[in-house]
Amino acid sequence: MDGTALLTITVLAVFVGFEVVSKVSSTLHTPLMSGANAIHGIILVGAIIVAGQAADPWVLAVALLAVVLATANLVGGFVVTDRMLHMFHAKKDTAKARAVEPKGGGK
């Protein structure tokens, strides 16, 4: 494939990915992020393997950039998932605290 075809496929993939992700409801976001984190882990392992077998300096540079970007993506996904889970826990903890409080001023 030539560079124009690869660029066209990349641009189309970005648009399709944006449309798909923007239509996901917030209740499904956390399970989808967990699956995406697993995929990003596989990408990170692949980037490490490519970096380990690189013969040319420019291939090593691109592979190391891929390792850095995949690591940032993986860690960012876990941070977002953790924040989403804390949002759901905060609602449950608040409801439990209200149920435990005595009514009528504690008398």
Side-chain angles (χ1 to χ4, degrees):
M1 285 191 158
D2 62 335
T4 306
L6 292 174
L7 182 63
T8 303
I9 291 171
T10 302
V11 170
L12 289 174
V14 167
F15 284 128
V16 169
F18 177 77
E19 287 298 317
V20 168
V21 170
S22 66
K23 305 292 188 244
V24 174
S25 69
S26 61
T27 55
L28 292 177
H29 190 267
T30 302
L32 288 175
M33 282 299 295
S34 298
N37 286 339
I39 293 169
H40 295 152
I42 295 168
I43 292 170
L44 178 60
V45 169
I48 291 170
I49 291 171
V50 169
Q53 296 178 352
D56 295 330
W58 67 272
V59 173
L60 179 62
V62 172
L64 290 176
L65 178 65
V67 168
V68 168
L69 293 176
T71 302
N73 204 359
L74 181 66
V75 171
F78 280 117
V79 168
V80 169
T81 302
D82 187 51
R83 289 185 68 185
M84 290 286 289
L85 290 174
H86 281 293
M87 285 174 34
F88 290 119
H89 286 302
K91 291 179 183 177
K92 291 178 183 177
D93 293 340
T94 305
K96 287 180 184 178
R98 287 186 189 149
V100 174
E101 284 180 3
K103 302 206 181 216
K107 294 182 181 181

